Amino acid sequence: MYRVLITDDLSKSALALLQDTPGIEVDVRSGKHTPEQVREYLKDADGIIIRSATRLTPEVLKDQPRLKVIVRAGVGVDNIDLPAATREGIVVMNTPAGNTTSTAEQAMALLLAMARNIAPACASMKAGKWDKKSFTGTQLAGKAIAVIGLGRIGLTVARRCLAFEMKVLGYDPFLSEERARNEGIELYRDIDELVGKCDFLTVHTPMTPETQGLINATRIAKMKKGVRLINGARGGIIDEAALLAALQSGHVAAAALDVFVEEPPKDWTLAQHPQVLSTPHLGASTEEAQELVSIEATEIITGFLLRNEVRHAMNMVPVSAAEMAVIQPYLDLGRRLGLLLAQLNKGGGVRKATLNFRGEAASMKTQLIASAFASGLLANAMADDVNIVNADLLAKERGIEIKEELSNETGDFSTLVSATIVTDNGEITAAGTIFGKQFLRLVRLDQFHLDAYLDGLLLLYRHIDRPGVIGYIGTVCGQHSVNIAHMALGRERNEPGGDAIAVLNLDNEPDSTTLAEVAKNPAVTGVELVKLPKAGEPLPWLVCR
């Protein structure tokens, strides 16, 4: 049974949907909470759904042994410390689709109301005045609007602006030129080239270190005198001090703001400026949006907990339930190769790891498999709980570069994942494949090709290929009641006398005396015991912790 904590308001229908889902237990904590209270609640939670009221700080998220997933019912994740969640191995997801229309409509409402001076005209009427001359506006048709950020909301706004016969200029580093042409948008890759050509400008980017202050004093100075700005995305994307100065100088004719750096503002100077149309972050404040984001949040968290589905993740590669069913054996293979190489590395610092994906493996989401490999490589070397979410970050912090190479060529196997680690003591290589849909095999270890089971206890027996060596190890294991379940042999060249290796899958662990006796044979050059998960053992991140 998975427990989901709810600390902010969800719609009644969404809450009922979650409570009626088999396998899910809901812990509803209504009202205001201190960080200490939230931290305490999370100790018994597998997942949490929040809105904007709950703040998940590093202190709240630190050492939560059970928490696996955070879902923000909304677009922004400003109230979640994303690096802290990633370090703790917690997946963070949001609900970008639910409030797209409402947020875009709010931007259009701001645009229209600002252009036609609706708010001050209404206030004048409320005061009993009939003053037409003071509120002359400007029409949208024929004007150029710059849409900064052409994601889901930005594109929705752009389409509505085109319906008002506006010329839409767009900036987005990822949207293709072909898609922009099809949408009727004149695409720019340089904001500085764009800002001087627009009559209106609206921002629709996430808040990141790169987008904070994106529209600053320098860029505002490049704009036409009389430009009008809209921010319905996140406070701070348009520099508030620079905007206020431009309004006071008359360079910016007007601004419409639904968001602020501090909400509510401590300094109301900008919000109360006569040329600013301001609203209290109403972008998603419609009945429809509140309902949709709540339902979407419940669907996302149940999909993750019950079907290992990752949708709209902020710190992990998204993967559907269908994709997870296909890729799960590859994640297991990657993790086991990481565990194997970590144990074969005798004290040398790992500097680099290269993963080569061949055949069917190359068509998978290889970044996830690489993350699974990294989690295995680091599993026994760190006090932190390492999983597929935080493994890449922890590897980078330890100075380990993880590189991927892809090839559609199949070679001897229809699918193959090969991993090589570069350590202070040299290189170690291991390669694995999948037989059928679930049987994991070790098919290469350094220069040796073989066919060993990649599970349980593995005794690696390096020796000179001469008669009697294999019989000797079998005899020693028998004398010490160590049962051999499977044996695979590999040798450097296809003739006796060279270096060889035997990989034995054991049913029970040999003690130090047994290993020492195995190593006594003069033909033996090395004996190593590797411990891997048992066959079919589930991945630790895909089960309730």
Side-chain angles (χ1 to χ4, degrees):
M1 182 72 73
Y2 294 98
R3 175 174 287 186
V4 175
L5 174 65
I6 310 292
T7 53
D8 296 333
D9 292 336
L10 288 186
S11 70
K12 292 181 180 179
S13 58
L15 194 57
L17 179 65
L18 193 61
Q19 291 169 331
D20 292 341
T21 302
I24 298 293
E25 178 184 355
V26 183
D27 181 12
V28 179
R29 303 278 183 167
S30 57
K32 294 184 177 180
H33 315 285
T34 65
E36 293 75 19
Q37 287 174 320
V38 176
R39 176 171 172 77
E40 193 64 27
Y41 301 153
L42 285 172
K43 290 181 179 179
D44 297 319
D46 299 291
I48 180 173
I49 297 176
I50 64 171
R51 297 191 69 103
S52 57
T54 300
R55 297 195 66 81
L56 298 179
T57 64
E59 294 74 23
V60 171
L61 296 174
K62 179 68 175 174
D63 297 327
Q64 293 291 354
R66 188 166 168 176
L67 184 64
K68 302 168 73 174
V69 57
I70 299 165
V71 176
R72 164 73 160 89
V75 178
V77 290
D78 304 14
N79 53 328
I80 303 168
D81 193 294
L82 198 58
T86 302
R87 170 171 285 282
E88 296 298 321
I90 303 165
V91 180
V92 178
M93 295 180 275
N94 66 353
T95 58
N99 60 11
T100 297
T101 300
S102 291
T103 304
E105 287 182 354
Q106 174 72 1
M108 292 304 299
L110 292 172
L111 172 63
L112 286 160
M114 175 180 59
R116 298 305 300 269
N117 295 311
I118 299 298
C122 178
S124 175
M125 288 287 288
K126 298 290 186 185
K129 299 178 181 179
W130 185 268
D131 182 2
K132 295 177 64 175
K133 293 182 179 180
S134 298
F135 305 114
T136 302
T138 183
Q139 72 176 29
L140 300 186
K143 299 296 193 305
I145 184 167
V147 181
I148 309 299
L150 292 166
R152 186 179 284 105
I153 295 172
L155 278 174
T156 303
V157 170
R159 291 167 188 148
R160 282 154 175 74
C161 289
L162 287 167
F164 277 86
E165 299 180 15
M166 300 186 79
K167 179 181 181 181
V168 178
L169 317 177
Y171 166 81
D172 192 282
F174 304 110
L175 189 75
S176 70
E177 293 184 6
E178 181 183 5
R179 175 73 184 279
R181 282 195 302 271
N182 291 339
E183 294 284 353
I185 299 169
E186 186 177 315
L187 185 64
Y188 289 78
R189 299 298 190 192
D190 186 344
I191 293 179
D192 292 305
E193 184 183 354
L194 166 65
V195 293
K197 300 179 179 180
C198 60
D199 303 295
F200 295 84
L201 182 144
T202 179
V203 294
H204 298 284
T205 70
M207 170 54 82
T208 67
E210 292 74 26
T211 62
Q212 185 172 8
L214 187 70
I215 304 302
N216 52 30
T218 302
R219 286 181 171 142
I220 290 174
K222 294 178 180 179
M223 297 179 188
K224 297 178 182 178
K225 181 177 174 59
V227 69
R228 292 170 169 83
L229 309 183
I230 304 103
N231 186 2
R234 282 291 178 268
I237 296 172
I238 298 178
D239 184 280
E240 291 184 351
L243 175 58
L244 180 60
L247 286 162
Q248 291 170 338
S249 71
H251 186 75
V252 171
L257 307 175
D258 187 43
V259 291
F260 297 85
V261 172
E262 293 180 313
E263 295 183 352
K266 291 181 180 178
D267 182 352
W268 287 84
T269 306
L270 179 61
Q272 293 179 343
H273 190 281
Q275 295 306 112
V276 172
L277 172 63
S278 53
T279 51
H281 204 151
L282 300 179
S285 294
T286 65
E287 294 176 359
E288 294 84 356
Q290 298 300 302
E291 179 75 8
L292 288 171
V293 297
S294 294
I295 290 175
E296 188 179 8
T298 62
E299 291 173 345
I300 286 173
I301 204 164
T302 55
F304 178 85
L305 292 173
L306 300 178
R307 299 184 297 278
N308 301 310
E309 183 177 74
V310 181
R311 290 168 53 192
H312 309 306
M314 309 299 292
N315 60 345
M316 181 179 167
V317 177
V319 55
S320 69
E323 288 174 320
M324 181 60 78
V326 174
I327 201 173
Q328 190 167 326
Y330 287 90
L331 300 180
D332 199 5
L333 176 61
R335 178 171 178 263
R336 288 170 188 251
L337 288 174
L339 290 167
L340 173 67
L341 290 177
Q343 293 174 68
L344 294 181
N345 177 31
K346 302 302 181 183
V350 179
R351 300 198 299 266
K352 180 180 179 181
T354 301
L355 278 78
N356 186 280
F357 301 91
R358 298 176 68 89
E360 292 177 8
S363 66
M364 301 289 170
K365 291 190 172 181
T366 56
Q367 186 179 337
L368 281 178
I369 304 172
S371 297
F373 168 82
S375 74
L377 186 66
L378 299 177
N380 298 322
M382 306 192 68
D384 297 315
D385 183 16
V386 186
N387 65 22
I388 199 169
V389 179
N390 61 9
D392 292 339
L393 171 66
L394 296 175
K396 288 178 182 177
E397 290 182 348
R398 293 176 71 90
I400 302 173
E401 178 190 0
I402 298 180
K403 182 181 177 183
E404 298 176 37
E405 297 176 348
L406 280 66
S407 173
N408 292 322
E409 297 179 6
T410 57
D412 295 330
F413 300 94
S414 62
T415 188
L416 186 75
V417 179
S418 176
T420 300
I421 58 172
V422 178
T423 77
D424 296 336
N425 299 327
E427 294 187 2
I428 312 172
T429 296
T433 189
I434 301 175
F435 288 170
K437 295 184 178 180
Q438 59 180 330
F439 300 107
L440 309 182
R441 294 290 189 269
L442 176 66
V443 295
R444 182 185 169 196
L445 196 56
D446 292 328
Q447 73 271 36
F448 303 110
H449 295 269
L450 57 144
D451 179 15
Y453 295 165
L454 197 56
D455 50 63
L457 291 167
L458 274 64
L459 182 63
L460 276 61
Y461 188 66
R462 302 176 189 270
H463 60 279
I464 298 170
D465 188 18
R466 62 177 60 161
V469 179
I470 299 301
Y472 172 78
I473 188 174
T475 300
V476 172
C477 286
Q479 290 172 345
H480 291 269
S481 300
V482 176
N483 196 55
I484 301 172
H486 181 267
M487 177 183 290
L489 303 174
R491 54 186 183 178
E492 191 172 19
R493 55 179 186 261
N494 195 26
E495 59 183 43
D499 290 333
I501 190 170
V503 177
L504 288 75
N505 292 91
L506 306 178
D507 285 330
N508 51 310
E509 185 174 348
D511 57 23
S512 58
T513 302
T514 305
L515 294 175
E517 189 171 340
V518 166
K520 283 182 180 179
N521 190 302
V524 174
T525 57
V527 176
E528 298 161 296
L529 186 66
V530 173
K531 298 179 181 180
L532 297 178
K534 295 179 181 179
E537 186 173 313
L539 291 163
W541 343 291
L542 303 184
V543 295
C544 187
R545 294 186 286 183

